[in-house]
Amino acid sequence: MVDRFFQHLNKFVEVTEEEFQEITNYVEVITLRKKECIMSAGKICDANYFVLSGCLHMFFTDEKGVEKTLQFAIENWWISDAQALYHQKETEFNIQAIEASEVLVIKANKEKELLERFPKLEVYFRSIYQIAYGAALKRMQYIFSFSKEEIFFRFRDEFPEFVNRVPQYLIATFLGLTPEYLSKLRAK
């Protein structure tokens, strides 16, 4: 399954089989059950997570006790609280498996060692963060530019893999909709 990570790396930088074998010494692969949390609010964020298989979501719980999804991650996507990870501080977010998942974990201290050993991976991670930042900007543009209905239909058209895999109530929280309203939109 880590071959998926090897292929992903090589989309951005050239990594030989020998280098990749050494890179795997800096990571750990774990299996998550459905609904199992890998990161919890109030804990120090000390790792970055790459989805080998499955689906995760990052969320917070608002003052009314309602979960609000900020991000999804499926195969070949990274997920973490980048700011808390960078500053090695407590996160305000949770990351939970939506379905049984296999995840590659790189601890912050190991990532630092890895980047010192393989400086070209700086290019890889910079590319990943730039893509994630661009996606976050696009999401903000959607929120400010489109009606709730348009946001759902654009999301559905651009990310059908999520609409087919993720429970409706999670998609609703991600898009800022109620599950009932999303149900009506899906019926159209």
PDB file of all heavy atoms in Angstrom, residues 72 142 146-166 168 171-172 174-175 177 182-188:
ATOM      1  N   PHE A  72     -11.954  17.153   4.071  1.00  0.00           N
ATOM      2  CA  PHE A  72     -11.995  15.717   3.842  1.00  0.00           C
ATOM      3  C   PHE A  72     -10.648  15.303   3.267  1.00  0.00           C
ATOM      4  O   PHE A  72      -9.947  16.121   2.674  1.00  0.00           O
ATOM      5  CB  PHE A  72     -13.079  15.334   2.832  1.00  0.00           C
ATOM      6  CG  PHE A  72     -14.479  15.608   3.300  1.00  0.00           C
ATOM      7  CD1 PHE A  72     -15.230  16.629   2.735  1.00  0.00           C
ATOM      8  CD2 PHE A  72     -15.052  14.844   4.295  1.00  0.00           C
ATOM      9  CE1 PHE A  72     -16.525  16.880   3.149  1.00  0.00           C
ATOM     10  CE2 PHE A  72     -16.351  15.085   4.730  1.00  0.00           C
ATOM     11  CZ  PHE A  72     -17.083  16.100   4.148  1.00  0.00           C
ATOM     12  N   TYR A 142     -16.104  30.249  -3.107  1.00  0.00           N
ATOM     13  CA  TYR A 142     -17.437  29.649  -3.246  1.00  0.00           C
ATOM     14  C   TYR A 142     -18.384  30.200  -2.179  1.00  0.00           C
ATOM     15  O   TYR A 142     -19.514  30.557  -2.474  1.00  0.00           O
ATOM     16  CB  TYR A 142     -17.365  28.131  -3.101  1.00  0.00           C
ATOM     17  CG  TYR A 142     -16.974  27.396  -4.362  1.00  0.00           C
ATOM     18  CD1 TYR A 142     -16.262  28.006  -5.380  1.00  0.00           C
ATOM     19  CD2 TYR A 142     -17.302  26.057  -4.519  1.00  0.00           C
ATOM     20  CE1 TYR A 142     -15.910  27.308  -6.522  1.00  0.00           C
ATOM     21  CE2 TYR A 142     -16.946  25.365  -5.661  1.00  0.00           C
ATOM     22  CZ  TYR A 142     -16.252  25.994  -6.654  1.00  0.00           C
ATOM     23  OH  TYR A 142     -15.902  25.316  -7.787  1.00  0.00           O
ATOM     24  N   PHE A 146     -21.312  32.207  -4.210  1.00  0.00           N
ATOM     25  CA  PHE A 146     -22.406  31.380  -4.696  1.00  0.00           C
ATOM     26  C   PHE A 146     -23.473  31.153  -3.641  1.00  0.00           C
ATOM     27  O   PHE A 146     -23.208  31.198  -2.435  1.00  0.00           O
ATOM     28  CB  PHE A 146     -21.869  30.028  -5.178  1.00  0.00           C
ATOM     29  CG  PHE A 146     -20.836  30.139  -6.261  1.00  0.00           C
ATOM     30  CD1 PHE A 146     -19.534  29.714  -6.038  1.00  0.00           C
ATOM     31  CD2 PHE A 146     -21.149  30.695  -7.496  1.00  0.00           C
ATOM     32  CE1 PHE A 146     -18.568  29.835  -7.021  1.00  0.00           C
ATOM     33  CE2 PHE A 146     -20.192  30.818  -8.484  1.00  0.00           C
ATOM     34  CZ  PHE A 146     -18.894  30.380  -8.256  1.00  0.00           C
ATOM     35  N   SER A 147     -24.667  30.879  -4.131  1.00  0.00           N
ATOM     36  CA  SER A 147     -25.756  30.521  -3.224  1.00  0.00           C
ATOM     37  C   SER A 147     -25.463  29.139  -2.638  1.00  0.00           C
ATOM     38  O   SER A 147     -24.627  28.393  -3.160  1.00  0.00           O
ATOM     39  CB  SER A 147     -27.086  30.481  -3.989  1.00  0.00           C
ATOM     40  OG  SER A 147     -27.095  29.364  -4.878  1.00  0.00           O
ATOM     41  N   LYS A 148     -26.180  28.804  -1.584  1.00  0.00           N
ATOM     42  CA  LYS A 148     -25.997  27.488  -0.962  1.00  0.00           C
ATOM     43  C   LYS A 148     -26.260  26.377  -1.973  1.00  0.00           C
ATOM     44  O   LYS A 148     -25.549  25.380  -2.005  1.00  0.00           O
ATOM     45  CB  LYS A 148     -26.930  27.325   0.248  1.00  0.00           C
ATOM     46  CG  LYS A 148     -26.677  28.315   1.364  1.00  0.00           C
ATOM     47  CD  LYS A 148     -25.387  28.038   2.067  1.00  0.00           C
ATOM     48  CE  LYS A 148     -25.239  28.929   3.287  1.00  0.00           C
ATOM     49  NZ  LYS A 148     -23.979  28.778   3.945  1.00  0.00           N
ATOM     50  N   GLU A 149     -27.265  26.575  -2.797  1.00  0.00           N
ATOM     51  CA  GLU A 149     -27.593  25.574  -3.812  1.00  0.00           C
ATOM     52  C   GLU A 149     -26.454  25.433  -4.819  1.00  0.00           C
ATOM     53  O   GLU A 149     -26.043  24.325  -5.165  1.00  0.00           O
ATOM     54  CB  GLU A 149     -28.888  25.981  -4.524  1.00  0.00           C
ATOM     55  CG  GLU A 149     -29.401  24.948  -5.491  1.00  0.00           C
ATOM     56  CD  GLU A 149     -30.783  25.299  -6.025  1.00  0.00           C
ATOM     57  OE1 GLU A 149     -31.581  25.912  -5.298  1.00  0.00           O
ATOM     58  OE2 GLU A 149     -31.045  24.943  -7.187  1.00  0.00           O
ATOM     59  N   GLU A 150     -25.922  26.557  -5.292  1.00  0.00           N
ATOM     60  CA  GLU A 150     -24.809  26.521  -6.251  1.00  0.00           C
ATOM     61  C   GLU A 150     -23.575  25.869  -5.635  1.00  0.00           C
ATOM     62  O   GLU A 150     -22.868  25.123  -6.312  1.00  0.00           O
ATOM     63  CB  GLU A 150     -24.466  27.932  -6.713  1.00  0.00           C
ATOM     64  CG  GLU A 150     -25.478  28.557  -7.637  1.00  0.00           C
ATOM     65  CD  GLU A 150     -25.155  30.016  -7.922  1.00  0.00           C
ATOM     66  OE1 GLU A 150     -24.871  30.774  -6.972  1.00  0.00           O
ATOM     67  OE2 GLU A 150     -25.198  30.386  -9.114  1.00  0.00           O
ATOM     68  N   ILE A 151     -23.315  26.149  -4.360  1.00  0.00           N
ATOM     69  CA  ILE A 151     -22.159  25.548  -3.696  1.00  0.00           C
ATOM     70  C   ILE A 151     -22.275  24.029  -3.733  1.00  0.00           C
ATOM     71  O   ILE A 151     -21.313  23.327  -4.062  1.00  0.00           O
ATOM     72  CB  ILE A 151     -22.027  26.063  -2.238  1.00  0.00           C
ATOM     73  CG1 ILE A 151     -21.584  27.528  -2.236  1.00  0.00           C
ATOM     74  CG2 ILE A 151     -21.063  25.201  -1.442  1.00  0.00           C
ATOM     75  CD1 ILE A 151     -21.620  28.186  -0.873  1.00  0.00           C
ATOM     76  N   PHE A 152     -23.444  23.499  -3.401  1.00  0.00           N
ATOM     77  CA  PHE A 152     -23.607  22.043  -3.410  1.00  0.00           C
ATOM     78  C   PHE A 152     -23.410  21.477  -4.806  1.00  0.00           C
ATOM     79  O   PHE A 152     -22.673  20.500  -4.987  1.00  0.00           O
ATOM     80  CB  PHE A 152     -24.975  21.602  -2.877  1.00  0.00           C
ATOM     81  CG  PHE A 152     -25.224  20.146  -3.153  1.00  0.00           C
ATOM     82  CD1 PHE A 152     -24.507  19.171  -2.467  1.00  0.00           C
ATOM     83  CD2 PHE A 152     -26.117  19.748  -4.129  1.00  0.00           C
ATOM     84  CE1 PHE A 152     -24.690  17.827  -2.735  1.00  0.00           C
ATOM     85  CE2 PHE A 152     -26.307  18.399  -4.408  1.00  0.00           C
ATOM     86  CZ  PHE A 152     -25.592  17.439  -3.705  1.00  0.00           C
ATOM     87  N   PHE A 153     -24.061  22.066  -5.812  1.00  0.00           N
ATOM     88  CA  PHE A 153     -23.973  21.500  -7.159  1.00  0.00           C
ATOM     89  C   PHE A 153     -22.554  21.586  -7.714  1.00  0.00           C
ATOM     90  O   PHE A 153     -22.103  20.667  -8.392  1.00  0.00           O
ATOM     91  CB  PHE A 153     -25.003  22.139  -8.092  1.00  0.00           C
ATOM     92  CG  PHE A 153     -26.405  21.713  -7.762  1.00  0.00           C
ATOM     93  CD1 PHE A 153     -27.362  22.649  -7.420  1.00  0.00           C
ATOM     94  CD2 PHE A 153     -26.757  20.369  -7.759  1.00  0.00           C
ATOM     95  CE1 PHE A 153     -28.655  22.250  -7.098  1.00  0.00           C
ATOM     96  CE2 PHE A 153     -28.043  19.960  -7.442  1.00  0.00           C
ATOM     97  CZ  PHE A 153     -28.997  20.907  -7.103  1.00  0.00           C
ATOM     98  N   ARG A 154     -21.830  22.649  -7.409  1.00  0.00           N
ATOM     99  CA  ARG A 154     -20.428  22.743  -7.836  1.00  0.00           C
ATOM    100  C   ARG A 154     -19.576  21.692  -7.125  1.00  0.00           C
ATOM    101  O   ARG A 154     -18.736  21.047  -7.735  1.00  0.00           O
ATOM    102  CB  ARG A 154     -19.880  24.146  -7.585  1.00  0.00           C
ATOM    103  CG  ARG A 154     -20.395  25.162  -8.575  1.00  0.00           C
ATOM    104  CD  ARG A 154     -19.892  26.567  -8.240  1.00  0.00           C
ATOM    105  NE  ARG A 154     -20.384  27.520  -9.189  1.00  0.00           N
ATOM    106  CZ  ARG A 154     -19.734  27.895 -10.293  1.00  0.00           C
ATOM    107  NH1 ARG A 154     -18.566  27.377 -10.578  1.00  0.00           N
ATOM    108  NH2 ARG A 154     -20.266  28.788 -11.110  1.00  0.00           N
ATOM    109  N   PHE A 155     -19.802  21.535  -5.821  1.00  0.00           N
ATOM    110  CA  PHE A 155     -19.073  20.517  -5.056  1.00  0.00           C
ATOM    111  C   PHE A 155     -19.365  19.136  -5.630  1.00  0.00           C
ATOM    112  O   PHE A 155     -18.450  18.338  -5.857  1.00  0.00           O
ATOM    113  CB  PHE A 155     -19.462  20.582  -3.573  1.00  0.00           C
ATOM    114  CG  PHE A 155     -18.777  19.557  -2.723  1.00  0.00           C
ATOM    115  CD1 PHE A 155     -17.461  19.734  -2.317  1.00  0.00           C
ATOM    116  CD2 PHE A 155     -19.442  18.408  -2.309  1.00  0.00           C
ATOM    117  CE1 PHE A 155     -16.822  18.788  -1.529  1.00  0.00           C
ATOM    118  CE2 PHE A 155     -18.813  17.459  -1.533  1.00  0.00           C
ATOM    119  CZ  PHE A 155     -17.498  17.660  -1.135  1.00  0.00           C
ATOM    120  N   ARG A 156     -20.626  18.854  -5.878  1.00  0.00           N
ATOM    121  CA  ARG A 156     -21.026  17.557  -6.426  1.00  0.00           C
ATOM    122  C   ARG A 156     -20.343  17.298  -7.766  1.00  0.00           C
ATOM    123  O   ARG A 156     -19.837  16.205  -8.029  1.00  0.00           O
ATOM    124  CB  ARG A 156     -22.540  17.513  -6.600  1.00  0.00           C
ATOM    125  CG  ARG A 156     -23.040  16.178  -7.170  1.00  0.00           C
ATOM    126  CD  ARG A 156     -24.401  16.283  -7.774  1.00  0.00           C
ATOM    127  NE  ARG A 156     -24.351  17.232  -8.895  1.00  0.00           N
ATOM    128  CZ  ARG A 156     -25.409  17.729  -9.496  1.00  0.00           C
ATOM    129  NH1 ARG A 156     -26.613  17.400  -9.079  1.00  0.00           N
ATOM    130  NH2 ARG A 156     -25.279  18.567 -10.496  1.00  0.00           N
ATOM    131  N   ASP A 157     -20.298  18.309  -8.625  1.00  0.00           N
ATOM    132  CA  ASP A 157     -19.719  18.139  -9.955  1.00  0.00           C
ATOM    133  C   ASP A 157     -18.199  18.026  -9.917  1.00  0.00           C
ATOM    134  O   ASP A 157     -17.614  17.281 -10.702  1.00  0.00           O
ATOM    135  CB  ASP A 157     -20.134  19.298 -10.868  1.00  0.00           C
ATOM    136  CG  ASP A 157     -21.635  19.300 -11.153  1.00  0.00           C
ATOM    137  OD1 ASP A 157     -22.313  18.273 -10.894  1.00  0.00           O
ATOM    138  OD2 ASP A 157     -22.139  20.351 -11.623  1.00  0.00           O
ATOM    139  N   GLU A 158     -17.555  18.763  -9.024  1.00  0.00           N
ATOM    140  CA  GLU A 158     -16.097  18.750  -8.954  1.00  0.00           C
ATOM    141  C   GLU A 158     -15.541  17.593  -8.129  1.00  0.00           C
ATOM    142  O   GLU A 158     -14.421  17.147  -8.367  1.00  0.00           O
ATOM    143  CB  GLU A 158     -15.576  20.079  -8.385  1.00  0.00           C
ATOM    144  CG  GLU A 158     -15.741  21.227  -9.356  1.00  0.00           C
ATOM    145  CD  GLU A 158     -15.106  22.514  -8.837  1.00  0.00           C
ATOM    146  OE1 GLU A 158     -14.044  22.455  -8.193  1.00  0.00           O
ATOM    147  OE2 GLU A 158     -15.691  23.580  -9.094  1.00  0.00           O
ATOM    148  N   PHE A 159     -16.308  17.120  -7.150  1.00  0.00           N
ATOM    149  CA  PHE A 159     -15.819  16.072  -6.255  1.00  0.00           C
ATOM    150  C   PHE A 159     -16.843  14.950  -6.080  1.00  0.00           C
ATOM    151  O   PHE A 159     -17.300  14.670  -4.972  1.00  0.00           O
ATOM    152  CB  PHE A 159     -15.469  16.670  -4.882  1.00  0.00           C
ATOM    153  CG  PHE A 159     -14.442  17.759  -4.957  1.00  0.00           C
ATOM    154  CD1 PHE A 159     -14.832  19.090  -4.877  1.00  0.00           C
ATOM    155  CD2 PHE A 159     -13.100  17.464  -5.115  1.00  0.00           C
ATOM    156  CE1 PHE A 159     -13.881  20.104  -4.952  1.00  0.00           C
ATOM    157  CE2 PHE A 159     -12.155  18.468  -5.199  1.00  0.00           C
ATOM    158  CZ  PHE A 159     -12.537  19.801  -5.120  1.00  0.00           C
ATOM    159  N   PRO A 160     -17.215  14.280  -7.177  1.00  0.00           N
ATOM    160  CA  PRO A 160     -18.233  13.228  -7.066  1.00  0.00           C
ATOM    161  C   PRO A 160     -17.815  12.090  -6.142  1.00  0.00           C
ATOM    162  O   PRO A 160     -18.663  11.449  -5.524  1.00  0.00           O
ATOM    163  CB  PRO A 160     -18.418  12.748  -8.510  1.00  0.00           C
ATOM    164  CG  PRO A 160     -17.169  13.157  -9.220  1.00  0.00           C
ATOM    165  CD  PRO A 160     -16.703  14.418  -8.537  1.00  0.00           C
ATOM    166  N   GLU A 161     -16.507  11.884  -6.006  1.00  0.00           N
ATOM    167  CA  GLU A 161     -16.030  10.802  -5.134  1.00  0.00           C
ATOM    168  C   GLU A 161     -16.438  11.035  -3.676  1.00  0.00           C
ATOM    169  O   GLU A 161     -16.682  10.081  -2.940  1.00  0.00           O
ATOM    170  CB  GLU A 161     -14.511  10.609  -5.247  1.00  0.00           C
ATOM    171  CG  GLU A 161     -13.663  11.785  -4.815  1.00  0.00           C
ATOM    172  CD  GLU A 161     -13.392  12.840  -5.882  1.00  0.00           C
ATOM    173  OE1 GLU A 161     -14.123  12.930  -6.876  1.00  0.00           O
ATOM    174  OE2 GLU A 161     -12.423  13.604  -5.710  1.00  0.00           O
ATOM    175  N   PHE A 162     -16.536  12.276  -3.257  1.00  0.00           N
ATOM    176  CA  PHE A 162     -16.967  12.574  -1.888  1.00  0.00           C
ATOM    177  C   PHE A 162     -18.476  12.385  -1.733  1.00  0.00           C
ATOM    178  O   PHE A 162     -18.937  11.840  -0.745  1.00  0.00           O
ATOM    179  CB  PHE A 162     -16.577  13.992  -1.471  1.00  0.00           C
ATOM    180  CG  PHE A 162     -15.107  14.159  -1.258  1.00  0.00           C
ATOM    181  CD1 PHE A 162     -14.356  14.908  -2.133  1.00  0.00           C
ATOM    182  CD2 PHE A 162     -14.471  13.540  -0.194  1.00  0.00           C
ATOM    183  CE1 PHE A 162     -12.991  15.051  -1.951  1.00  0.00           C
ATOM    184  CE2 PHE A 162     -13.109  13.678  -0.006  1.00  0.00           C
ATOM    185  CZ  PHE A 162     -12.366  14.433  -0.889  1.00  0.00           C
ATOM    186  N   VAL A 163     -19.219  12.853  -2.711  1.00  0.00           N
ATOM    187  CA  VAL A 163     -20.669  12.752  -2.642  1.00  0.00           C
ATOM    188  C   VAL A 163     -21.094  11.285  -2.563  1.00  0.00           C
ATOM    189  O   VAL A 163     -22.058  10.948  -1.881  1.00  0.00           O
ATOM    190  CB  VAL A 163     -21.327  13.466  -3.840  1.00  0.00           C
ATOM    191  CG1 VAL A 163     -22.831  13.279  -3.848  1.00  0.00           C
ATOM    192  CG2 VAL A 163     -20.978  14.957  -3.811  1.00  0.00           C
ATOM    193  N   ASN A 164     -20.331  10.404  -3.205  1.00  0.00           N
ATOM    194  CA  ASN A 164     -20.660   8.983  -3.208  1.00  0.00           C
ATOM    195  C   ASN A 164     -20.149   8.237  -1.978  1.00  0.00           C
ATOM    196  O   ASN A 164     -20.640   7.155  -1.676  1.00  0.00           O
ATOM    197  CB  ASN A 164     -20.113   8.322  -4.472  1.00  0.00           C
ATOM    198  CG  ASN A 164     -20.749   8.863  -5.724  1.00  0.00           C
ATOM    199  OD1 ASN A 164     -21.923   9.225  -5.729  1.00  0.00           O
ATOM    200  ND2 ASN A 164     -19.989   8.946  -6.796  1.00  0.00           N
ATOM    201  N   ARG A 165     -19.164   8.783  -1.273  1.00  0.00           N
ATOM    202  CA  ARG A 165     -18.540   8.061  -0.165  1.00  0.00           C
ATOM    203  C   ARG A 165     -18.853   8.626   1.209  1.00  0.00           C
ATOM    204  O   ARG A 165     -18.786   7.911   2.196  1.00  0.00           O
ATOM    205  CB  ARG A 165     -17.013   8.083  -0.334  1.00  0.00           C
ATOM    206  CG  ARG A 165     -16.517   7.225  -1.444  1.00  0.00           C
ATOM    207  CD  ARG A 165     -15.045   7.408  -1.665  1.00  0.00           C
ATOM    208  NE  ARG A 165     -14.239   6.755  -0.658  1.00  0.00           N
ATOM    209  CZ  ARG A 165     -12.920   6.699  -0.722  1.00  0.00           C
ATOM    210  NH1 ARG A 165     -12.283   7.276  -1.720  1.00  0.00           N
ATOM    211  NH2 ARG A 165     -12.242   6.089   0.212  1.00  0.00           N
ATOM    212  N   VAL A 166     -19.104   9.917   1.280  1.00  0.00           N
ATOM    213  CA  VAL A 166     -19.215  10.598   2.563  1.00  0.00           C
ATOM    214  C   VAL A 166     -20.687  10.725   2.960  1.00  0.00           C
ATOM    215  O   VAL A 166     -21.524  11.087   2.134  1.00  0.00           O
ATOM    216  CB  VAL A 166     -18.557  11.996   2.468  1.00  0.00           C
ATOM    217  CG1 VAL A 166     -18.769  12.801   3.728  1.00  0.00           C
ATOM    218  CG2 VAL A 166     -17.070  11.857   2.162  1.00  0.00           C
ATOM    219  N   GLN A 168     -24.152  12.116   4.059  1.00  0.00           N
ATOM    220  CA  GLN A 168     -24.777  13.389   3.697  1.00  0.00           C
ATOM    221  C   GLN A 168     -24.631  14.446   4.782  1.00  0.00           C
ATOM    222  O   GLN A 168     -24.380  15.617   4.496  1.00  0.00           O
ATOM    223  CB  GLN A 168     -26.254  13.133   3.390  1.00  0.00           C
ATOM    224  CG  GLN A 168     -26.998  14.343   2.907  1.00  0.00           C
ATOM    225  CD  GLN A 168     -28.378  13.976   2.432  1.00  0.00           C
ATOM    226  OE1 GLN A 168     -28.526  13.202   1.515  1.00  0.00           O
ATOM    227  NE2 GLN A 168     -29.383  14.547   3.076  1.00  0.00           N
ATOM    228  N   ILE A 171     -21.210  16.098   4.555  1.00  0.00           N
ATOM    229  CA  ILE A 171     -21.131  17.010   3.412  1.00  0.00           C
ATOM    230  C   ILE A 171     -21.871  18.300   3.746  1.00  0.00           C
ATOM    231  O   ILE A 171     -21.393  19.394   3.452  1.00  0.00           O
ATOM    232  CB  ILE A 171     -21.707  16.351   2.133  1.00  0.00           C
ATOM    233  CG1 ILE A 171     -20.785  15.212   1.696  1.00  0.00           C
ATOM    234  CG2 ILE A 171     -21.863  17.379   1.016  1.00  0.00           C
ATOM    235  CD1 ILE A 171     -21.324  14.377   0.561  1.00  0.00           C
ATOM    236  N   ALA A 172     -23.027  18.171   4.390  1.00  0.00           N
ATOM    237  CA  ALA A 172     -23.803  19.359   4.776  1.00  0.00           C
ATOM    238  C   ALA A 172     -22.983  20.267   5.681  1.00  0.00           C
ATOM    239  O   ALA A 172     -22.920  21.481   5.450  1.00  0.00           O
ATOM    240  CB  ALA A 172     -25.104  18.942   5.464  1.00  0.00           C
ATOM    241  N   PHE A 174     -19.771  20.498   5.963  1.00  0.00           N
ATOM    242  CA  PHE A 174     -18.648  21.030   5.200  1.00  0.00           C
ATOM    243  C   PHE A 174     -19.083  22.214   4.334  1.00  0.00           C
ATOM    244  O   PHE A 174     -18.358  23.201   4.194  1.00  0.00           O
ATOM    245  CB  PHE A 174     -18.046  19.930   4.323  1.00  0.00           C
ATOM    246  CG  PHE A 174     -16.912  20.382   3.448  1.00  0.00           C
ATOM    247  CD1 PHE A 174     -15.670  20.685   3.997  1.00  0.00           C
ATOM    248  CD2 PHE A 174     -17.073  20.496   2.084  1.00  0.00           C
ATOM    249  CE1 PHE A 174     -14.616  21.090   3.190  1.00  0.00           C
ATOM    250  CE2 PHE A 174     -16.031  20.903   1.272  1.00  0.00           C
ATOM    251  CZ  PHE A 174     -14.795  21.203   1.829  1.00  0.00           C
ATOM    252  N   LEU A 175     -20.285  22.111   3.767  1.00  0.00           N
ATOM    253  CA  LEU A 175     -20.777  23.156   2.866  1.00  0.00           C
ATOM    254  C   LEU A 175     -21.567  24.251   3.576  1.00  0.00           C
ATOM    255  O   LEU A 175     -22.021  25.200   2.947  1.00  0.00           O
ATOM    256  CB  LEU A 175     -21.643  22.526   1.766  1.00  0.00           C
ATOM    257  CG  LEU A 175     -20.917  21.536   0.845  1.00  0.00           C
ATOM    258  CD1 LEU A 175     -21.908  20.893  -0.119  1.00  0.00           C
ATOM    259  CD2 LEU A 175     -19.771  22.198   0.116  1.00  0.00           C
ATOM    260  N   LEU A 177     -24.446  23.799   5.200  1.00  0.00           N
ATOM    261  CA  LEU A 177     -25.865  23.544   4.987  1.00  0.00           C
ATOM    262  C   LEU A 177     -26.411  22.681   6.116  1.00  0.00           C
ATOM    263  O   LEU A 177     -25.657  22.036   6.837  1.00  0.00           O
ATOM    264  CB  LEU A 177     -26.079  22.795   3.658  1.00  0.00           C
ATOM    265  CG  LEU A 177     -25.422  23.385   2.416  1.00  0.00           C
ATOM    266  CD1 LEU A 177     -25.563  22.434   1.241  1.00  0.00           C
ATOM    267  CD2 LEU A 177     -26.022  24.735   2.086  1.00  0.00           C
ATOM    268  N   LEU A 182     -29.775  19.876   2.429  1.00  0.00           N
ATOM    269  CA  LEU A 182     -28.982  19.097   1.477  1.00  0.00           C
ATOM    270  C   LEU A 182     -29.803  17.948   0.909  1.00  0.00           C
ATOM    271  O   LEU A 182     -29.726  17.642  -0.285  1.00  0.00           O
ATOM    272  CB  LEU A 182     -27.700  18.575   2.123  1.00  0.00           C
ATOM    273  CG  LEU A 182     -26.769  17.787   1.207  1.00  0.00           C
ATOM    274  CD1 LEU A 182     -26.370  18.600  -0.018  1.00  0.00           C
ATOM    275  CD2 LEU A 182     -25.538  17.351   1.973  1.00  0.00           C
ATOM    276  N   SER A 183     -30.605  17.327   1.731  1.00  0.00           N
ATOM    277  CA  SER A 183     -31.473  16.242   1.274  1.00  0.00           C
ATOM    278  C   SER A 183     -32.418  16.730   0.176  1.00  0.00           C
ATOM    279  O   SER A 183     -32.629  16.063  -0.838  1.00  0.00           O
ATOM    280  CB  SER A 183     -32.260  15.666   2.439  1.00  0.00           C
ATOM    281  OG  SER A 183     -33.038  14.578   2.028  1.00  0.00           O
ATOM    282  N   LYS A 184     -32.977  17.929   0.355  1.00  0.00           N
ATOM    283  CA  LYS A 184     -33.865  18.508  -0.655  1.00  0.00           C
ATOM    284  C   LYS A 184     -33.104  18.794  -1.951  1.00  0.00           C
ATOM    285  O   LYS A 184     -33.612  18.555  -3.044  1.00  0.00           O
ATOM    286  CB  LYS A 184     -34.502  19.802  -0.134  1.00  0.00           C
ATOM    287  CG  LYS A 184     -35.530  19.589   0.939  1.00  0.00           C
ATOM    288  CD  LYS A 184     -36.060  20.922   1.444  1.00  0.00           C
ATOM    289  CE  LYS A 184     -36.982  20.701   2.635  1.00  0.00           C
ATOM    290  NZ  LYS A 184     -37.421  21.969   3.228  1.00  0.00           N
ATOM    291  N   LEU A 185     -31.866  19.304  -1.835  1.00  0.00           N
ATOM    292  CA  LEU A 185     -31.073  19.587  -3.013  1.00  0.00           C
ATOM    293  C   LEU A 185     -30.737  18.302  -3.779  1.00  0.00           C
ATOM    294  O   LEU A 185     -30.789  18.268  -5.009  1.00  0.00           O
ATOM    295  CB  LEU A 185     -29.765  20.297  -2.632  1.00  0.00           C
ATOM    296  CG  LEU A 185     -29.883  21.728  -2.164  1.00  0.00           C
ATOM    297  CD1 LEU A 185     -28.517  22.258  -1.739  1.00  0.00           C
ATOM    298  CD2 LEU A 185     -30.476  22.616  -3.252  1.00  0.00           C
ATOM    299  N   ARG A 186     -30.380  17.264  -3.045  1.00  0.00           N
ATOM    300  CA  ARG A 186     -30.026  15.998  -3.690  1.00  0.00           C
ATOM    301  C   ARG A 186     -31.219  15.382  -4.391  1.00  0.00           C
ATOM    302  O   ARG A 186     -31.056  14.662  -5.374  1.00  0.00           O
ATOM    303  CB  ARG A 186     -29.445  15.030  -2.664  1.00  0.00           C
ATOM    304  CG  ARG A 186     -28.046  15.447  -2.217  1.00  0.00           C
ATOM    305  CD  ARG A 186     -27.471  14.439  -1.305  1.00  0.00           C
ATOM    306  NE  ARG A 186     -26.950  13.320  -2.114  1.00  0.00           N
ATOM    307  CZ  ARG A 186     -26.056  12.464  -1.669  1.00  0.00           C
ATOM    308  NH1 ARG A 186     -25.595  12.567  -0.447  1.00  0.00           N
ATOM    309  NH2 ARG A 186     -25.638  11.492  -2.435  1.00  0.00           N
ATOM    310  N   ALA A 187     -32.404  15.657  -3.897  1.00  0.00           N
ATOM    311  CA  ALA A 187     -33.614  15.103  -4.507  1.00  0.00           C
ATOM    312  C   ALA A 187     -33.919  15.758  -5.855  1.00  0.00           C
ATOM    313  O   ALA A 187     -34.642  15.190  -6.671  1.00  0.00           O
ATOM    314  CB  ALA A 187     -34.796  15.268  -3.551  1.00  0.00           C
ATOM    315  N   LYS A 188     -33.348  16.962  -6.082  1.00  0.00           N
ATOM    316  CA  LYS A 188     -33.618  17.690  -7.346  1.00  0.00           C
ATOM    317  C   LYS A 188     -33.017  16.969  -8.531  1.00  0.00           C
ATOM    318  O   LYS A 188     -31.941  16.577  -8.602  1.00  0.00           O
ATOM    319  CB  LYS A 188     -33.053  19.113  -7.271  1.00  0.00           C
ATOM    320  CG  LYS A 188     -33.905  20.028  -6.444  1.00  0.00           C
ATOM    321  CD  LYS A 188     -33.383  21.438  -6.577  1.00  0.00           C
ATOM    322  CE  LYS A 188     -34.271  22.403  -5.817  1.00  0.00           C
ATOM    323  NZ  LYS A 188     -33.855  23.778  -6.004  1.00  0.00           N
TER     324      LYS A 188
END
